[in-house]
Amino acid sequence: MGRRDDPKARKVQRALDELDRGVRRGDVERAAAALGELPAELRAAHAPGLAARFGAEVADAHRRRDWARLAALGRGADGAPELLAGDAGATAWALMWGCGRQSDPARARRMFARVEAETAARAPSLARALKAWLHGGAEGAAGDLDALPQLAAAATRSGGAVPSAPATAAEATAAVCALATSQPWAAVAATLGGRWALTGEAGAATRTAGYALSVREHLERTVLGFGEAWAPLSLAVRMAEAAGSTEATRAETLELLRLVLPAASRAADRPPKELLHGVIRLGVRDVALRPMVLSAVAAMAQGPAEWRARAALYRTVYEATAEAEAWAQGLLAYFWRPEADHEVDPEPWLVGAIGALLANGGLAAWLLRPTPGRKDLLEAAFDLMQPDEYERLCDEVWERADDDLRTQLSVWMAELIEENPFAGMGGLGTISPAVIASSMRAVQAAMFQRQVRMLPYSEDFFRVAVGRAKSDAEASDAVARFVARGGTIQRRLMALRVLQEDGMKFLADEMLSEVLEVHEGDATALAEGTLWCSGQGAPMRVVAELAAALRAAVGDGVPPPGGVVAKALMVADALFPRRAEKKPKKPAAEKKPKKPAAEKKPKKPAAEKKPKKPAAEKKPAAEKKPAAEKKPAAEKKPAAKKPTGGGA
Amino acid sequence: MTSGPFDVLRCEPTLDEGAIRRAYYAELRLHPPHLDPDGFKRLREAYDVLLDPQGRAASFFAAPVDLHALRARYEAQLGVPLAAARAAASGSERVQRFVEGWSALTWAEAIARASG
């Protein structure tokens, strides 16, 4: 009789074909069932090739809690125990639950037998409870069930009523524990996070117990390595937030920060973004902890590709605190983004916060601190702000800035001017739309210059402002603003020099008059001015005027040798010798007493002169130009009264 | 392995400057500069880090949390009331919870959980 006629051989062949088909199609259940049809020696030969896939299939079904699938796979494993030969117990454990939950206790017991010894050795209570369950119910093993840890995360009670909220503080812990032992974690979180009103003393005690339960659940899951370990901490954050008082919850806040923040920098097991932001919000809510939390945030998300995460963290801090620090750091995160993201627009919150930060002075205060990134922030803010906002910021900062910041501001403004390719083109009207579209940044710079006409804070800007002035009034306004930032004789003389170099003779003469009037009688200032002008190569007419004023201020007095006045007098004498003293031929009777310097010039006698005004009073010039309050020109000596003598 | 500044001062991570000072002076007695210059140098460096508010904050938040000790603390707080709540549940509910809870764990998780 041939093999084809042998029923056993045909059955084996069919099983082999079925096994092959199952393997090829990835149908592990079918392959396992076919394997079970083979004689022992063939099972032993074919099982190793299937065991790994079988184990993976079981693990996947267990993860999905597909008990029916596990029961079916259990039937396959029961027929072909070779599939479990190399298994450490995990597959048999899952199959045991599948069979047990699908009312197949006999097969479940056989699966349990494979793990019973080790389970009994390592977790005797669990082994006894399982054995009791597999033999007809675990009620008999009540003591063992009580000895097992509570699995709040996995506990379910379909249709079970949520316990009622505790009425008193004394009942709170028991109520929270009853909730935890009767409901799945999602229901626990929903109940404590909203269904129970956490008000009054009972509410406070419930919140405290809820916080402890949440952290305990997180620790259980973390230490024992199961479930979503971070999920319970979201409830812990809500419980800490519900407390309201930051003093009372400082310890809880610190605990949460320590549990969450270090994990945020880990590649694996990173906390969810919502949790991280929630913990940071909680941390910065406490003013005492805020600087420390900000330090911790600064150390997070350092990589260039993480700029979005970094900006988002600062957004959370800003929304919780409305502090300029968070806004500035968020803007810097955006500003320092990698080149690949340069087309990304700033987030609306960065733009939206500008008004408030300008109004409360927070942004200026931030810039006034010697913080790294100050200059970058100035540049970044320029891209975001309207020209008037930016000018306001610069004005405010300049008023209170130290030398370092003023230098930074000056450098930055100089860069802005350098970058502007449309300088001198007569404004935006002459620029073609194509050019505008090609360089929005340059257009912004051009608009800035056109609309606010520079900030004449440093000599360079003043020079540009005067050079671009479209009228004497504009130039005069720039002069007033430049001089107002200091009011020293050097500053006025700088203005004078720029005006002369730009050919604005009228304004230059006015400035010289102002210098002589404001500093009249101030020998030190006039001496400094004389020396400054002679050193700077100023026109001799100006040096002569100053020298004359200096001589008048000194009068017959003898300045201390080596001082600035003495030095200036030496320079003056060298440049403009006192000719009047070289006329000894006049008879003594005709000799007039030495004229005071003031009489040599067509100035009013000292008595007729107005008293010296503070710089502020000298600014009105209402009749002269629109920017009246900034320019004192009209009240200054008219051009006709200007001194004419002594010029070189 | 390098130890953090709190380890060098042998004190629990804290933001309390007073506690840090006390820990420093306690350790200083054990590592006086004339007898243990290396130990003193280490101690002083750690102390300087912790005196700086930013360094203190960074060290505090970077210091590892002893999860087992923390877990034990919360177990001491809630272990008894949770056991009482479990005991109050009926037998069949307890069995149902047992099956629901433990069947979802892998074998390794279950062994760890039951023996932990």
Side-chain angles (χ1 to χ4, degrees):
Chain A
M1 196 167 67
R3 190 176 170 181
R4 293 168 68 97
D5 301 325
D6 181 355
K8 279 189 181 173
R10 281 206 304 275
K11 188 182 170 191
V12 167
Q13 189 54 50
R14 270 201 306 274
L16 283 170
D17 292 344
E18 189 70 2
L19 173 62
D20 181 52
R21 216 168 287 130
V23 169
R24 275 191 286 108
R25 294 179 183 176
D27 188 343
V28 176
E29 186 183 332
R30 186 178 187 175
L35 191 67
E37 298 293 319
L38 293 173
E41 65 274 13
L42 282 177
R43 284 205 307 272
H46 287 88
L50 185 61
R53 289 173 69 175
F54 184 79
E57 188 77 13
V58 169
D60 182 56
H62 191 204
R63 258 194 307 278
R64 290 185 282 108
R65 303 188 187 186
D66 187 345
W67 310 118
R69 174 89 175 138
L70 283 172
L73 291 167
R75 284 192 290 277
D78 209 24
E82 292 82 357
L83 286 172
L84 303 176
D87 179 55
T91 306
W93 167 269
L95 295 174
M96 172 197 75
W97 284 111
C99 296
R101 296 190 62 149
Q102 292 299 107
S103 306
D104 188 357
R107 191 167 277 123
R109 282 195 289 274
R110 285 198 288 281
M111 296 299 151
F112 176 59
R114 293 182 167 275
V115 294
E116 183 175 4
E118 192 170 344
T119 306
R122 293 171 61 187
S125 296
L126 177 61
R128 284 194 294 273
L130 279 169
K131 202 166 183 177
W133 174 62
L134 291 169
H135 286 84
E139 288 94 336
D144 293 315
L145 286 184
D146 285 342
L148 290 172
Q150 165 68 17
L151 297 179
T156 57
R157 281 183 61 192
S158 53
V162 173
S164 53
T168 65
E171 296 170 4
T173 302
V176 167
C177 290
L179 177 71
T181 53
S182 65
Q183 301 295 318
W185 183 258
V188 172
T191 304
L192 286 170
R195 281 187 212 155
W196 285 0
L198 304 182
T199 53
E201 280 186 18
T206 305
R207 187 203 63 73
T208 304
Y211 174 83
L213 180 77
S214 309
V215 178
R216 178 188 176 277
E217 182 68 21
H218 164 73
L219 294 168
E220 291 285 303
R221 295 182 184 199
T222 304
V223 171
L224 302 175
F226 73 94
E228 293 288 328
W230 294 115
L233 282 193
S234 296
L235 179 61
V237 170
R238 291 171 75 180
M239 293 292 97
E241 276 176 342
S245 164
T246 54
E247 290 280 332
T249 54
R250 187 166 297 154
E252 294 175 356
T253 302
L254 281 173
E255 189 169 78
L256 289 172
L257 286 165
R258 287 192 68 199
L259 286 170
V260 174
L261 292 191
S265 303
R266 289 201 293 261
D269 190 28
R270 202 173 277 190
K273 202 169 72 175
E274 296 73 25
L275 174 62
L276 176 62
H277 285 240
V279 168
I280 288 172
R281 205 164 33 242
L282 192 65
V284 296
R285 192 183 65 162
D286 188 336
V287 177
L289 296 181
R290 192 174 295 167
M292 295 161 215
V293 178
L294 279 169
S295 294
V297 169
M300 292 162 62
Q302 291 279 17
E306 292 182 277
W307 70 271
R308 282 192 177 85
R310 199 172 161 76
L313 288 172
Y314 284 114
R315 178 184 182 170
T316 295
V317 175
Y318 178 76
E319 286 172 349
T321 64
E323 282 193 353
E325 169 75 24
W327 181 86
Q329 295 297 345
L331 181 56
L332 288 174
Y334 168 74
F335 183 70
W336 291 329
R337 66 196 182 281
E339 205 172 324
D341 292 333
H342 271 192
E343 298 307 313
V344 176
D345 288 331
E347 288 197 29
W349 76 275
L350 285 171
V351 181
I354 289 172
L357 289 170
L358 283 175
N360 65 22
L363 185 50
W366 188 89
L367 283 166
L368 287 165
R369 284 174 16 212
T371 316
R374 217 160 46 165
K375 167 141 187 322
D376 286 346
L377 189 86
L378 280 169
E379 188 173 346
F382 177 75
D383 288 337
L384 256 60
M385 290 180 168
Q386 295 299 316
D388 59 330
E389 288 177 332
Y390 197 71
E391 187 193 12
R392 188 173 140 201
L393 174 67
C394 290
D395 270 342
E396 193 176 339
V397 170
W398 186 274
E399 288 293 340
R400 294 186 282 153
D402 55 18
D403 288 345
D404 180 46
L405 181 55
R406 285 190 179 190
T407 304
Q408 287 190 17
L409 271 171
S410 301
V411 169
W412 162 236
M413 297 305 294
E415 283 176 14
L416 266 186
I417 294 165
E418 287 292 315
E419 277 181 21
N420 174 23
F422 308 121
M425 289 175 67
L428 287 179
T430 60
I431 304 167
S432 75
V435 175
I436 291 174
S438 72
S439 179
M440 281 309 292
R441 181 181 173 75
V443 170
Q444 277 182 306
M447 284 176 67
F448 181 76
Q449 291 184 59
R450 181 166 157 268
Q451 292 179 10
V452 302
R453 306 179 315 282
M454 302 292 110
L455 298 175
Y457 299 136
S458 79
E459 193 180 358
D460 286 341
F461 305 146
F462 173 62
R463 204 177 281 278
V464 176
V466 170
R468 305 263 172 91
K470 292 186 178 59
S471 63
D472 275 2
E474 274 191 16
S476 185
D477 180 56
V479 169
R481 295 181 66 186
F482 179 74
V483 170
R485 313 272 171 176
T488 62
I489 192 166
Q490 282 94 338
R491 205 160 177 82
R492 286 192 169 86
L493 292 170
M494 279 181 207
L496 171 60
R497 186 174 68 179
V498 170
L499 291 168
Q500 282 176 329
E501 286 171 3
D502 271 53
M504 298 192 177
K505 188 173 181 314
F506 175 74
L507 289 176
D509 288 347
E510 276 201 333
M511 180 49 65
L512 181 57
S513 300
E514 184 177 323
V515 167
L516 296 173
E517 184 179 318
V518 169
H519 299 286
E520 183 177 12
D522 184 349
T524 305
L526 290 165
E528 286 171 352
T530 305
L531 291 173
W532 189 86
C533 279
S534 58
Q536 295 285 321
M540 293 308 281
R541 184 176 72 86
V542 175
V543 184
E545 293 277 9
L546 286 168
L550 173 62
R551 282 175 180 149
V554 173
D556 294 331
V558 179
V564 66
V565 177
K567 281 182 191 170
L569 283 172
M570 280 173 64
V571 170
D573 288 344
L575 293 173
F576 313 107
R578 303 183 198 223
R579 289 174 192 168
E581 293 172 4
K582 293 179 183 176
K583 295 179 181 174
K585 290 180 181 175
K586 274 197 175 180
E590 291 178 34
K591 228 180 188 177
K592 290 180 184 174
K594 191 180 174 184
K595 281 183 186 175
E599 286 184 28
K600 290 180 181 174
K601 295 184 284 180
K603 272 187 167 183
K604 293 178 191 171
E608 288 178 39
K609 276 183 190 160
K610 293 182 217 167
K612 200 171 164 185
K613 292 177 189 172
E617 277 184 46
K618 294 185 171 250
K619 298 282 169 192
E623 310 88 284
K624 185 162 172 70
K625 57 188 173 61
E629 64 287 354
K630 291 185 177 176
K631 185 66 186 170
E635 286 192 12
K636 282 189 240 161
K637 285 187 238 175
K641 289 186 182 176
K642 276 190 296 178
T644 53
Chain B
M1 188 178 123
T2 56
S3 51
F6 287 112
D7 294 328
V8 175
L9 264 66
R10 290 203 291 180
C11 75
E12 284 295 307
T14 178
L15 293 169
D16 179 5
E17 198 177 330
I20 290 167
R21 281 185 197 284
R22 285 192 293 278
Y24 170 72
Y25 287 115
E27 282 298 300
L28 189 58
R29 281 199 292 275
L30 302 175
H31 305 284
H34 61 291
L35 294 179
D36 181 8
D38 289 341
F40 171 73
K41 187 173 171 228
R42 247 190 339 269
L43 182 64
R44 186 68 216 188
E45 283 172 357
Y47 185 51
D48 286 342
V49 168
L50 295 178
L51 280 187
D52 170 49
Q54 284 202 339
R56 184 159 65 242
S59 304
F60 177 79
F61 289 122
V65 179
D66 185 347
L67 296 180
H68 290 277
L70 196 59
R71 181 177 169 231
R73 206 182 85 201
Y74 280 104
E75 194 57 39
Q77 185 179 344
L78 290 179
V80 172
L82 278 170
R86 280 201 296 272
S90 71
S92 61
E93 283 173 349
R94 290 155 71 193
V95 171
Q96 189 186 351
R97 280 207 309 279
F98 164 74
V99 172
E100 289 289 343
W102 291 88
S103 65
L105 303 183
T106 66
W107 191 43
E109 288 170 349
I111 294 288
R113 191 81 200 260
S115 59

